[in-house]
Amino acid sequence: MGALKNIILVENNFLLRSGIEGLILELPGLLLKEVFDGKEKNLYRKLINKKPDVIIIDPNALGHNFISIISKLQEEAGIMLIGLLGSDCPENISSRFKNHLPLEGNKHLLLQKLREACGKDAVYPTNKKTQADSRLLSAREIDILREVVKGLTNQDIADNLFLSIHTVMTHRKNISRKLSIKTVSGLMVYALMNNIVDINEMG
Amino acid sequence: MLIVREMKLADVIHHDYNLVPVINRFDISLGFGDGTIREICEERDVNVEFFLSILNTFHDVQYFPKDYLKSFPVSLIINYLRKAHSYYSDEKIPEIKLLISKLIRLSGKNNKTLNLISNFFNDYCNEFAAHLLREETIVYPYVLSLEKALAEKNDNGLVDMELMKYSITTYEADHEDVEEKLFDMKSLMIKYLPLESSDNLMFEEISYSLLRELFVLEKELSEHSRIEDLILVPKVEGMEKHYKSGR
């Protein structure tokens, strides 16, 4: 279980908010990073700035801003959107979400849905192979890491390794996820510790 | 729990002992006796409303201090934030550094990982210090001169054109990277700190204290930025609106 998933919740109803927080606490591997009540100014920016893996949204919390915010979020690759939806939720709203948490569900069902939506591997590694895969850096990721800790930009790394900048970013995201290390200087410590780079290579 | 003025302060501390450093910033130390919050504040000339809003913000993530916002001068907030800053830089950070140096002593100078972690924390400290300095030398003086200018404007209608150019939103707390570094430090310790020592029991004990201090600091800092975001920023935004409109 190398993958700590960052979750953001958008919910204005106190009881629901507390309930969801309780569910998230039950699943190791999930981390509730922040809760918004949906009425914040520039909410879309604030959500994106937190770099979440998953956003759980109650459409009611967004009110009439729902469509504008959800449309922008849908275009963000790499963010899983989960709708907190009642059974009476109209199709044009529910269809915006790939994953649903049904308001009427019992605890078991809700935990299961949440686990599925966040990726089972994040919560329970399914077998030994995926466990190793989700923990160890691949050879390519180690190449990227070596470049990152030299202080190179994504563009430089892409040029040096003949990759697209998008691929570099995906690799970087996976590296941080596997290691639970987010900053370049943290990665540098990891790389030095594991002899991936030599102290003399550092500027 | 909503903390209110007629509660005994001792009961509040029983309920949430994390508030001890917070009351210290109001010059209230342990051994304060049986008084209610109101009584203790009156004795020491502490603004009760402000005291309550700080305690509640710190104690309860869900708390939003709307009602109290307008009732106390912004200089009180600044004063509080400054005290919190010196608590972090004069007490918490040195404590952590001391623990790290104890670990290094226990494991001998050649523990590469430990040295790397130690350097990483020193970098973090420098960055953190720069962040605090920016607030103390730019943000706080701006807020205080805005408060002064607002009083003068009410007296004689004069407006300081320099102040008109700035806004608190430009400075809205940028804690992200500092927070991430602290998180990384915990990750590195939890996963990669090697046990290399002449006294393993002592080493484990001290690593545990160190990790606990990191968690405490992280929590403190997130409460601190919540106080800035929920109390200082809205208050100053209100002042700016007042200052820049209807000259």
Side-chain angles (χ1 to χ4, degrees):
Chain A
M1 182 179 74
L4 202 58
K5 296 257 181 179
N6 287 316
I7 301 190
I8 289 186
L9 174 62
V10 182
E11 176 57 82
N12 58 350
N13 175 313
F14 167 74
L15 286 174
L16 287 176
R17 179 190 271 214
S18 308
I20 307 262
E21 284 172 5
L23 287 176
I24 292 174
L25 275 179
E26 296 221 8
L27 296 174
L30 303 188
L31 179 71
L32 183 60
K33 225 183 165 195
E34 188 141 346
V35 183
F36 292 96
D37 69 16
K39 297 284 174 284
E40 289 83 359
K41 272 186 267 170
N42 302 322
L43 181 60
Y44 168 72
R45 268 285 119 226
K46 286 177 182 161
L47 290 171
I48 294 301
N49 286 343
K50 296 284 167 192
K51 299 177 207 143
D53 300 300
V54 178
I55 307 181
I56 303 176
I57 296 178
D58 179 351
N60 294 321
L62 294 176
H64 60 269
N65 290 326
F66 175 72
I67 295 295
S68 69
I69 290 181
I70 202 79
S71 309
K72 279 189 270 181
L73 287 176
Q74 280 176 312
E75 286 170 18
E76 291 290 332
I79 298 182
M80 173 60 72
L81 300 174
I82 304 179
L84 191 61
L85 308 171
S87 56
D88 55 351
C89 178
E91 161 73 19
N92 62 343
I93 289 180
S94 64
S95 64
R96 295 281 185 161
F97 297 99
K98 214 169 170 187
N99 286 282
H100 297 176
L101 280 182
L103 275 181
E104 296 81 1
N106 62 24
K107 182 175 171 186
H108 176 75
L109 178 73
L110 288 167
L111 283 176
Q112 187 195 335
K113 292 270 182 194
L114 193 56
R115 204 181 293 142
E116 279 168 12
C118 296
K120 271 195 187 123
D121 283 357
V123 188
Y124 299 126
T126 39
N127 61 44
K128 279 206 173 117
K129 186 167 178 294
T130 45
Q131 194 176 359
D133 283 351
S134 68
R135 218 174 43 202
L136 299 174
L137 297 187
S138 68
R140 200 46 159 170
E141 284 163 349
I142 290 177
D143 292 340
I144 305 265
L145 178 63
R146 205 173 277 131
E147 303 286 304
V148 169
V149 301
K150 283 184 201 156
L152 298 184
T153 64
N154 287 339
Q155 188 61 60
D156 291 338
I157 299 172
D159 293 346
N160 288 355
L161 301 180
F162 306 104
L163 296 171
S164 78
I165 190 159
H166 180 77
T167 311
V168 173
M169 282 160 73
T170 308
H171 280 306
R172 286 189 70 159
K173 216 174 162 185
N174 289 337
I175 293 170
S176 286
R177 182 175 52 77
K178 286 183 181 178
L179 301 178
S180 313
I181 297 177
K182 302 172 183 172
T183 64
V184 175
S185 38
L187 292 172
M188 169 121 62
V189 172
Y190 174 86
L192 286 168
M193 234 176 228
N194 291 285
N195 299 318
I196 292 171
V197 290
D198 193 297
I199 191 97
N200 301 320
E201 291 176 48
M202 298 291 104
Chain B
M1 176 182 73
L2 181 67
I3 302 168
V4 296
R5 64 186 67 211
E6 293 307 331
M7 284 177 175
K8 279 166 84 173
L9 185 56
D11 293 342
V12 173
I13 299 297
H14 264 297
H15 192 81
D16 183 357
Y17 70 90
N18 289 317
L19 293 172
V20 171
V22 181
I23 66 169
N24 290 161
R25 276 165 225 155
F26 290 88
D27 295 322
I28 302 172
S29 320
L30 292 185
F32 48 71
D34 279 300
T36 63
I37 290 180
R38 182 182 54 76
E39 288 162 355
I40 289 176
C41 284
E42 277 169 6
E43 261 168 43
R44 287 155 221 251
D45 218 7
V46 170
N47 183 316
V48 186
E49 242 101 75
F50 179 58
F51 186 66
L52 285 172
S53 68
I54 295 285
L55 287 193
N56 279 309
T57 310
F58 214 91
H59 169 66
D60 180 2
V61 189
Q62 305 275 322
Y63 176 76
F64 194 79
K66 243 178 207 150
D67 305 330
Y68 299 113
L69 267 180
K70 295 195 176 79
S71 57
F72 43 77
V74 74
S75 47
L76 280 184
I77 310 177
I78 302 285
N79 194 12
Y80 170 85
L81 293 173
R82 279 190 173 141
K83 280 195 176 163
H85 281 181
S86 56
Y87 173 69
Y88 305 138
S89 43
D90 301 343
E91 300 197 23
K92 293 321 269 181
I93 301 256
E95 266 173 44
I96 293 173
K97 283 189 170 166
L98 184 67
L99 289 170
I100 296 176
S101 68
K102 278 185 182 168
L103 284 183
I104 292 180
R105 213 173 312 140
L106 270 175
S107 74
K109 286 216 160 49
N110 296 325
N111 188 329
K112 181 178 163 195
T113 306
L114 202 49
N115 286 331
L116 287 169
I117 290 180
S118 164
N119 289 340
F120 181 75
F121 187 70
N122 287 339
D123 287 348
Y124 165 80
C125 293
N126 293 339
E127 212 168 287
F128 183 58
H131 173 78
L132 297 189
L133 193 68
R134 195 161 54 239
E135 292 189 340
E136 305 222 354
T137 55
I138 301 175
V139 184
Y140 299 168
Y142 161 70
V143 171
L144 291 175
S145 37
L146 182 66
E147 184 179 49
K148 195 163 154 257
L150 205 52
E152 279 166 11
K153 187 190 166 201
N154 287 342
D155 284 350
N156 54 26
L158 288 177
V159 170
D160 181 341
M161 289 317 287
E162 277 303 301
L163 284 181
M164 302 289 283
K165 290 186 208 155
Y166 291 100
S167 161
I168 188 76
T169 37
T170 333
Y171 305 122
E172 230 183 310
D174 174 29
H175 300 111
E176 199 64 19
D177 196 49
V178 183
E179 276 173 28
E180 287 187 343
K181 278 222 168 80
L182 208 49
F183 178 89
D184 286 359
M185 171 94 180
K186 292 189 309 178
S187 276
L188 291 167
M189 277 200 58
I190 293 173
K191 296 196 291 184
Y192 309 117
L193 188 69
L195 182 63
E196 277 173 31
S197 155
S198 48
D199 185 346
N200 286 351
L201 217 60
M202 180 75 97
F203 190 90
E204 284 172 342
E205 183 81 4
I206 296 173
S207 332
Y208 173 47
S209 305
L210 174 54
L211 188 62
R212 199 172 40 209
E213 286 295 332
L214 292 174
F215 272 97
V216 170
L217 180 63
E218 188 182 42
K219 183 170 182 312
E220 277 265 349
L221 291 180
S222 90
E223 315 299 0
H224 183 76
S225 45
R226 220 171 54 237
I227 285 175
E228 293 182 336
D229 294 348
L230 292 184
I231 301 184
L232 181 67
V233 172
K235 172 104 185 163
V236 176
E237 278 172 348
M239 289 163 65
E240 285 173 346
K241 216 166 146 190
H242 194 68
Y243 190 65
K244 293 177 183 178
S245 67
R247 320 184 217 168

